[in-house]
Amino acid sequence: MHPTDEGTEVANTQGAGGSKISPGKAGAPALAVEHLTKRFGDRVAYSDVSFEIGYGEVFGFLGPNGAGKTTTVRTLGTLIAPTSGSAMVAGMRLSAANGPAIRQKISIMPESPGLYLRLTVEENLECFAGLYGLGGTKARIHEALEAVNLLERAKDLCGALSKGLRQRVALARALLNDPEVLFLDEPTSGLDPVAAREVHELITGMRERGVTIFLTTHRLEEAERLCDRVAILNTTLRMIGRPDELRKELFARTLDVRTKVPLADPGAVFSGLPGVEGWSDSGAAMYRLEVSDPEAAAPGVARALVRAEADVVSIAESRHTLEDVYLQLVGEEERAERK
Amino acid sequence: MSPSWTRIWAMSKKELRDYRRNRFVVVTMAVMPLVFTVAPMIQLFAIKVNAASSAFNARIGLALLYMLIIPAIVPSSLSAYSVVGEREQGTLEPVLITPIGSQEFLFGKALAAFLPTVAISYAVFGIFLAAARIFAQPVVASAIYSGSHIWVQLVFTPLLAGWSILVGIAISTRSADVRTAQQLSVLASLPPLVVVGLITFNVFHASVGITVALAVALLVIDRFGWRAVAAMFDRERLVTGGRS
Ligand SMILES: Nc1ncnc2c1ncn2[C@@H]1O[C@H](COP(=O)(O)OP(=O)(O)OP(=O)(O)O)[C@@H](O)[C@H]1O
Ligand SMILES: [Mg+2]
């Protein structure tokens, strides 16, 4: 991992999660990206991006619109050439000459499914099985359709399918060549919650089968639920690590205390408790305590409240979601840009 | 990577299936040959046997030329659609993510336009020959059957189709939209047709040598033009949508 050149204070690409890469075949990572940059003329799509992904990992790639996610996926999929930097994809160096060999081992589900609408589901998959030069086409198509629960729609024209079903056909198509690395570019964009949930289940299923997945998304709860590690990109890489680590890194850990009626003297109750580093009154009988370790501090806080004869409603570790992390990082930048 | 027939044929097969369900293509493929079967037939029966021999030859030349328009025009709109059409409907990116090579992709497209074109052209010509034998006056029929007419027709049909497809795909690869591509490639399909037309019309007395030279020239272009077209095929530009 390499820190980004324009790193802000919060940016720390050397997140602890970076060390937890499971070495795959021959000890090499599934994806290793070093100082990759892509410019379209004067416009920078992404800049100085570096990360590694181990085999079997589900990696979330987050960022606002125009952050460079799709461009990164296209670069790693050998569709476009990087302006500078280097990468290893599925054990091969990213280069024009290696293009066909890399494309044989990976697959990409692009942002829009791009199916042949006048062909049936089966015919679409048959075409792509052929394009991969695969044998045993019938069995593969069956398997791919089964994986996405679409067997009974095999004979339907793609033009007659709903958006969610088309997305699933695109996913089946991406599974045909048994990819070592599967890139999913916003696989749930525009899907209703039920359809999105189904796609999540499919991703979970693939993860259990050990497929390495590079998942691009705006949906933070999706990344949090599905991904082993996430990276936040906004032209440059802002952070990388496990979702819980990112939370820890960005936010002080706190305990939220609620009582039935406001405490007469909160300072007397909270000051000097072991593990409590500070406290603040967040109004309406709520208090926020800064702690180093919520689990160690909570029992002491409870006893102190009982001693003070306070009616405790709740003592809870405050939870920051990945969304908080994201908004903290990206939101600040966007606001700064607008000023 | 050596070219794979599995990949080429996968592309062609998909393309042929797509044609069959595309009303525009079906209509083009049906109406054009119909027009160009009827027109030469009219020429055939309008021929006056006692006309001056130059007029006589011109009639027969026109009838045969009509039928060479089919291999020139029919595939040009198909091949003009081939790359830019997929780009417009958003199906190009998924294809380009597969290991298919530029030449395989283009050749698969070309084959899909070539096969039906040649089949239709030969069928129309067969119908014309049969009609000439059965219905036309014996002098007319024997004039059609004599000399190099049949050979010229048989040889130039695939060669003209090859040219139109090559040029159509080249234009399609560089075009920003389907409409422009189709107009340009119909125009581009005409020059060799004109030359062949002059021969068919006996306008200049093409020796066997010139005719063969023309056929060989077209063959060489059809055969090696692919390198040039494949070199124009730039994945990055096609995917990111930049114009050339
Ligand atoms: N062909 C192109 N020519 C010029 N600029 C481009 C091109 N493709 C992308 N860009 C620019 O590169 C940047 C990154 O685009 P990209 O599509 O990778 O973003 P993204 O993160 O996928 O966004 P979204 O979430 O909207 O899909 C944007 O500023 C975009 O305008
Ligand atoms: Mg995108």
Side-chain angles (χ1 to χ4, degrees), chain B residues 197-206:
Chain B
L198 295 178
I199 296 173
T200 333
F201 268 125
N202 284 336
V203 167
F204 64 88
H205 230 78

Side-chain angles (χ1 to χ4, degrees), chain A residues 38 116 118 123 126, chain B residues 13 21 86 93 98 236:
Chain A
K38 177 66 185 179
Y116 295 111
R118 281 187 286 264
E123 287 166 346
E126 192 188 320
Chain B
K13 193 171 174 187
R21 294 176 199 157
E86 288 229 16
E93 186 172 352
T98 71
E236 174 156 350

Side-chain angles (χ1 to χ4, degrees), chain A residues 12 17 29 41 43 56 73 107 135 137 169 173 183 189 207 227 229 245 256 262 268 284 306 323 330 336:
Chain A
N12 177 10
R43 167 165 282 129
V73 169
S107 49
T137 312
V169 180
R173 184 182 61 195
F183 293 87
S189 76
R207 172 208 191 136
C227 298
R229 283 191 310 144
E245 284 168 350
D256 286 327
V306 170
E323 185 160 354
V330 173

Side-chain angles (χ1 to χ4, degrees), chain A residues 288-333:
Chain A
R288 173 158 287 190
L289 313 186
E290 282 165 37
V291 296
S292 46
D293 180 354
E295 268 174 45
V301 172
R303 279 192 292 272
L305 285 164
V306 170
R307 270 201 304 277
E309 292 181 352
D311 294 328
V312 180
V313 176
S314 68
I315 302 178
E317 186 182 352
S318 59
R319 296 213 65 86
H320 290 285
T321 62
L322 191 56
E323 185 160 354
D324 297 322
V325 175
Y326 179 91
L327 290 176
Q328 173 90 11
L329 273 174
V330 173
E332 266 175 14
E333 282 165 23

